[in-house]
Amino acid sequence: MINSGTITAGQRGILASVINSGTIRATIGIGIEGLTVNATNSGTISGAVFGLVGANAANVINYGTISGGDGIAAPIANVSNSGTIAGSDFGVRASNSANVTNSGIISGGVAALQFAGNPDMLTLFPGSRIVGAINLGGGGDTVTFRGGNHNLTFDTLAGATVAGTTPFVVSGNRAVAIDPTPFAMTDRNLLDFSRMVAAVIPEIENTGTAGGAPLAFAAAGRSSADVVADAFAAAIPGLAYAGEATVFSNPTMVYAGGTAVWARGFAGKRVQQGDDVLLRTENQFYGGMLGAEWQAGSNRRLGLFAGGGEAKSSLDLNYGGTKSTLVLGGACARYRVANAFLHLTVQGGHSGNDTQRLINNNLAAGGTETAAASFNGWYVTPEAHFGFNRALGTWGGAAYALSPSLRVRYLYAAFDGYTESGSTANLTVGTRTVQDFEERGELKFTRTQTLGTTAVIATSIYGGVLAVQRIGDSTVDAALLGQAIPFATPGEEQVWGGYGGASLAWRTAERVSVFGAAEYTAPSDDSSIISGRAGLRVAF
């Protein structure tokens, strides 16, 4: 029978197998005497005595709600639940054998799960919440953890087999498992944050004292092509413009000391899809920086910067997350020879981290408890950016250029150990480090144009490929219930992908420039990253 409406009855709502997306209410919601019940439910099935009962067996796939004195009762119960099964007495009761797979809620006033003394199977996925006693009955049962945080107490685990795809321990009649997703995201999130820090540092222009004039937008006798050429030189430093000598000899913006200060901010979001081990995760990060730069020779500039920001990770199914507050600082240098440039940056910072885990504890009120911890960390990442600027000529009053480049950087981070509080199965984690290499090959196309005689606008589109390698010892030293459970950091150790973006810079005769950019990255580990940055630069 297929039901998408409402069925109300005094005794049995349905005496047949059913596909239900509606509502069934009765003393016994669904039941067949002497036969097997096959039910797929995405609606509501409720009974005063039984939500669903099978005199022989019950094969149930539940996405909705099943409730009653017993939610589901049968000698043989094969149940796959991602919805809610609730019983004032028993959630699922099997008098012979049971095979229950759960990623939803199963609750019972007497027991959530009541099995007999035969081999039974219980498989727990992320999202599983069992509220009430779990009575396996003994007899060679199997309990398998397939993700999520669990702190479960059974009537007995004697003779039982406990297995899992995630770290777990067994102590007496308790089995505890942890979700390792936060550890997989530690280096990825820090890579994203520190990448944006490097990205907001201005491409330092060589603005030495040659030429002597504060600004050469509209010098007498200069053609519009000259103005565009000089504007182009400011947007892409070191460019030898087609048909001219090195345009840097007459730069668009010339300042007495070649000094400038800048302020920029950034924000971004990573969405990491889940797999068999890891949960879907969203990481949001943002920050702001102040910096200064000055001339250190005819073809060198140096700079310093400092700032801070925050990164927040949230796990799917409200399983918790991590918040990191970071303060940072660093230095940068740019060296130019003809059309080639080398940009060197080193940044480092301190992080204060707070983490929370939502845990299914079947004996806790509501079936959940929260474990929390705080710990400190620090990181350092040097980076080298090498490339060329190649002029493509002018057209329609604008100049065009193509800039291939390569970025290589290394990330090293260290974190203190910690012990959680708030749970009856607090996790202890030892000190740990993460190390990564990242390479980015990029091709940028830039268009530069003057607006009247007082402003220059440079727009760019760019794209490229990236690769990330996780290196070093990736073991997480951890302990649960006094037992050591070291495990390898999950997630792919080598990731590649592509990215693309666009930027805009607007410079005025008042020696002020405004910058904005947006970027999208698609790595091979089923994640996506979108980010933006903007800021202001003033020279004097």
Side-chain angles (χ1 to χ4, degrees), residues 84-268:
T84 298
I85 300 172
S88 56
D89 293 328
F90 301 100
V92 177
R93 181 160 61 98
S95 58
N96 188 345
S97 65
N99 185 348
V100 175
T101 298
N102 187 51
S103 59
I105 301 172
I106 301 176
S107 64
V110 178
L113 300 173
Q114 182 70 35
F115 300 159
N118 296 313
D120 305 298
M121 297 183 66
L122 175 61
T123 304
L124 304 166
F125 281 87
S128 173
R129 196 168 94 195
I130 299 176
V131 188
I134 304 175
N135 297 328
L136 299 180
D141 304 299
T142 299
V143 178
T144 305
F145 295 109
R146 295 292 300 273
N149 297 307
H150 307 275
N151 178 16
L152 303 180
T153 302
F154 301 82
D155 62 333
T156 180
L157 287 173
T161 298
V162 180
T165 59
T166 57
F168 69 91
V169 299
V170 177
S171 178
N173 64 341
R174 293 175 67 189
V176 181
I178 65 167
D179 167 37
T181 303
F183 301 97
M185 295 295 102
T186 299
D187 61 333
R188 299 292 190 254
N189 295 341
L190 191 52
L191 276 171
D192 293 341
F193 183 90
S194 58
R195 182 188 304 119
M196 289 302 297
V197 170
V200 300
I201 299 172
E203 291 290 318
I204 301 173
E205 301 161 8
N206 195 326
T207 52
T209 59
L215 182 67
F217 271 114
R222 302 181 74 235
S223 67
S224 60
D226 293 332
V227 174
V228 170
D230 286 350
F232 198 16
I236 304 181
L239 176 67
Y241 194 64
E244 297 185 6
T246 303
V247 295
F248 179 74
S249 62
N250 188 16
T252 302
M253 294 183 178
V254 182
Y255 316 120
T259 302
V261 295
W262 53 267
R264 287 188 174 182
F266 61 88

Side-chain angles (χ1 to χ4, degrees), residues 180 183-187 432-434 470 473-476 487-493:
F183 301 97
M185 295 295 102
T186 299
D187 61 333
R432 66 194 194 278
T433 62
V434 297
R470 182 183 288 163
D473 185 4
S474 61
T475 301
V476 178
F487 58 91
T489 302
E492 297 184 23
E493 294 189 353

Side-chain angles (χ1 to χ4, degrees), residues 292-539:
E293 62 193 56
W294 58 91
Q295 199 70 28
S298 61
N299 56 2
R300 294 185 301 276
R301 286 184 65 81
L302 303 176
L304 295 173
F305 58 88
E310 192 169 84
K312 296 180 180 179
S313 292
S314 58
L315 303 180
D316 203 12
L317 305 172
N318 294 317
Y319 257 42
T322 302
K323 182 177 77 171
S324 300
T325 302
L326 298 104
V327 292
L328 61 97
C332 55
R334 185 179 180 90
Y335 182 76
R336 176 190 60 82
V337 176
N339 292 354
F341 63 86
L342 175 64
H343 193 183
L344 301 175
T345 304
V346 61
Q347 59 170 295
H350 172 273
S351 64
N353 309 282
D354 299 299
T355 181
Q356 287 189 335
R357 291 191 305 125
L358 183 69
I359 305 169
N360 174 209
N361 181 342
N362 63 301
L363 299 186
T368 62
E369 60 185 1
T370 300
S374 298
F375 57 95
N376 294 319
W378 62 272
Y379 79 94
V380 62
T381 175
E383 176 176 324
H385 181 198
F386 174 75
F388 298 88
N389 297 310
R390 179 168 180 78
L392 300 179
T394 60
W395 184 78
Y400 298 86
L402 202 60
S403 303
S405 65
L406 175 66
R407 295 177 184 262
V408 179
R409 71 184 182 112
Y410 166 72
L411 170 68
Y412 179 91
F415 300 94
D416 295 341
Y418 62 87
T419 296
E420 296 174 330
S421 61
S423 168
T424 59
N426 292 315
L427 176 68
T428 296
V429 178
T431 58
R432 66 194 194 278
T433 62
V434 297
Q435 298 181 69
D436 293 87
F437 276 111
E438 180 182 81
E439 304 86 27
R440 290 162 66 95
E442 180 177 294
L443 189 63
K444 178 187 289 187
F445 177 76
T446 302
R447 178 184 186 273
T448 306
Q449 186 175 21
T450 58
L451 302 177
T453 59
T454 60
V456 176
I457 186 168
T459 55
S460 299
I461 58 173
Y462 60 91
V465 294
L466 82 161
V468 176
Q469 303 87 38
R470 182 183 288 163
I471 62 172
D473 185 4
S474 61
T475 301
V476 178
D477 293 320
L480 271 172
L481 302 181
Q483 300 180 39
I485 53 165
F487 58 91
T489 302
E492 297 184 23
E493 294 189 353
Q494 298 188 30
V495 177
W496 58 273
Y499 67 96
S503 65
L504 182 147
W506 179 58
R507 296 175 174 85
T508 71
E510 287 75 25
R511 301 173 178 174
V512 175
S513 62
V514 179
F515 170 83
E519 183 174 299
Y520 178 80
T521 305
S524 61
D525 60 351
D526 291 328
S527 64
S528 59
I529 308 164
I530 185 170
S531 59
R533 52 196 188 270
L536 180 73
R537 180 174 181 268
V538 179

Side-chain angles (χ1 to χ4, degrees), residues 71-92:
I72 297 174
I76 300 172
N78 299 309
V79 178
S80 176
N81 175 56
S82 57
T84 298
I85 300 172
S88 56
D89 293 328
F90 301 100
V92 177

Side-chain angles (χ1 to χ4, degrees), residues 28-31 37 39 45 50-54 58-60 66-67 70-74:
I28 299 174
I30 296 176
V37 172
I45 300 172
F50 300 106
L52 186 151
V53 63
N59 302 314
V60 182
I66 300 174
S67 63
D70 288 359
I72 297 174

